[in-house]
Amino acid sequence: MLLLTGSANRALALNVARHLNLPLAKVSIGQFSDGESCVEILENVRGQDVFIIQSTSTPPNHHLIELILIADAIRRAQARRVIAVIPYLSYARQDKCLYPTQTPIGAKVIADLLATCKFNRILTIDPHSEQLQGFFSFPFDSLYSTTLFLEDILKKNYSRLVIISPDIGGVRRARTFAQRLNAQLAIIDKQRFKPNEMQAMNIIGDVEGYDCIIVDDIIDTANTICSAASVLKENGAKKVIAYATHPVLSGQAIHTIQSSLLDELVVTDTIPLNTIAQSCSNIQILSVVPLLAKAIEDIYKES
Ligand code: R5P
């Protein structure tokens, strides 16, 4: 098997390769002067199972195009199988038409675009919603950071714990955590009238005197989690800790986190953190490397 990566998260790909005791295949990645991406695979891939590790993180369009170009080059060079390992799959939040406005179903558009690459399968982590699988007409495997997060929560020995879903869409995820930890569940009824902007928050459930753990798939502007932290503290929460798989952390997110009532944020390395985020004492990073490496090995061995 051959592992290679685009420019989205080279550190993650290198760590997966190290975990599997393999080198990362050589690829030249650059841009023409007008901004078009150009890629060249510098190794023979003929007859190999090739895993392309590339999150479509910021800038999402650029990283998506890089992935597609790499896939095309590999296909033309006659690899045996091409597997896209997309730890963070962007556009997944655009999974429905927002009537009465006229909007595309971005997630379906991206699924159709990826289908043109003729990947044998796609491997991702914590996709925004489970129905996303239905947008793809070829194997789409999802891994979950649940076990990674649960182990960390258990290590921290919280006494009175309540698991918080920051919106109605996340209830299933939060309920899994609550059941596995034998903890209470509370739900924040979040109303969003515009993307990335929150309007209202009500809590369904009891949080007074509890340590509250918010679980979410994505932390983007950090408005959801930080507003949740405020409303939880207003309602008597002792501590508020958030676990979010994909640290998109766009715009003023770090500033929002630093000036919030959030006690701690735990994320994974599906997306690299910038140096400011890395130096935040209340942001902890857990690694998905073992999870990805095991899945890649299983796919390779068809086990
Ligand atoms: C929304 O449905 C997602 O699960 C996240 O809650 C959301 O994307 C977080 O975005 P932000 O950090 O910008 O509030």
Side-chain angles (χ1 to χ4, degrees):
M1 87 168 107
L2 211 72
L3 295 181
L4 54 83
T5 185
S7 63
N9 193 347
R10 198 170 161 78
L12 177 73
L14 265 173
N15 288 334
V16 170
R18 270 191 210 118
H19 204 91
L20 290 168
N21 226 354
L22 286 170
L24 261 189
K26 292 193 184 70
V27 185
S28 152
I29 310 231
Q31 278 183 321
F32 291 106
S33 70
D34 64 351
E36 284 182 11
S37 300
C38 66
V39 307
E40 187 183 352
I41 315 299
L42 303 171
E43 304 209 5
N44 185 6
V45 302
R46 197 187 181 101
Q48 306 251 37
D49 280 356
V50 182
F51 293 80
I52 311 169
I53 305 174
Q54 172 91 326
S55 276
T56 55
S57 50
T58 311
N61 301 349
H62 176 77
H63 289 141
L64 191 63
I65 292 293
E66 246 182 43
L67 170 67
I68 289 170
L69 294 179
I70 294 172
D72 186 67
I74 290 169
R75 220 4 113 209
R76 288 173 194 278
Q78 296 177 13
R80 188 173 84 101
R81 292 194 296 166
V82 187
I83 295 101
V85 181
I86 314 178
Y88 170 64
L89 178 60
S90 55
Y91 285 93
R93 286 176 284 180
Q94 298 186 40
D95 57 1
K96 54 182 116 30
C97 269
L98 299 176
Y99 293 118
T101 56
Q102 294 166 43
T103 60
I105 304 181
K108 174 68 176 135
V109 173
I110 299 306
D112 289 347
L113 189 61
L114 291 172
T116 65
C117 301
K118 301 195 172 59
F119 288 117
N120 293 82
R121 59 196 319 131
I122 286 183
L123 176 64
T124 190
I125 301 183
D126 276 329
H128 178 60
S129 60
E130 283 169 12
Q131 63 266 29
L132 196 66
Q133 203 170 30
F135 290 3
F136 292 83
S137 49
F138 55 99
F140 180 90
D141 300 321
S142 308
L143 302 171
Y144 293 92
S145 51
T146 316
T147 311
L148 197 63
F149 285 170
L150 284 171
E151 281 171 4
D152 193 68
I153 295 168
L154 286 171
K155 252 194 262 162
K156 289 176 178 161
N157 274 325
Y158 296 104
S159 49
R160 291 185 80 209
L161 199 58
V162 58
I163 303 296
I164 311 288
S165 172
D167 52 29
I168 302 296
V171 173
R172 218 174 124 101
R173 183 181 304 113
R175 191 183 295 122
T176 307
F177 277 79
Q179 283 171 344
R180 301 269 289 271
L181 293 162
N182 206 11
Q184 305 269 21
L185 173 70
I187 300 162
I188 294 186
D189 173 30
K190 161 180 105 174
Q191 287 194 48
R192 205 196 270 291
F193 302 118
K194 269 192 190 168
N196 290 135
E197 269 182 34
M198 214 101 46
Q199 302 289 324
M201 285 194 149
N202 300 302
I203 302 175
I204 305 169
D206 184 17
V207 298
E208 191 166 355
Y210 281 90
D211 287 334
C212 295
I213 294 196
I214 307 172
V215 288
D216 210 347
D217 56 334
I218 298 169
I219 177 161
D220 184 354
T221 60
N223 284 334
T224 300
I225 282 176
C226 295
S227 312
S230 306
V231 78
L232 290 166
K233 289 258 168 104
E234 273 163 29
N235 282 269
K238 249 170 59 189
K239 260 189 170 183
V240 182
I241 305 101
Y243 283 77
T245 309
H246 306 296
V248 174
L249 299 177
S250 68
Q252 295 299 306
I254 297 301
H255 173 72
T256 307
I257 293 167
Q258 281 173 329
S259 49
S260 76
L261 294 174
L262 189 66
D263 293 289
E264 193 186 351
L265 170 66
V266 183
V267 295
T268 78
D269 52 358
T270 57
I271 298 174
L273 292 194
N274 63 28
T275 38
I276 305 172
Q278 280 176 31
S279 64
C280 282
S281 57
N282 62 347
I283 302 184
Q284 183 195 341
I285 309 168
L286 299 178
S287 182
V288 293
V289 165
L291 194 66
L292 277 178
K294 163 100 178 52
I296 289 174
E297 202 162 35
D298 287 349
I299 292 173
Y300 175 62
K301 291 182 180 159
E302 298 183 344
S303 59

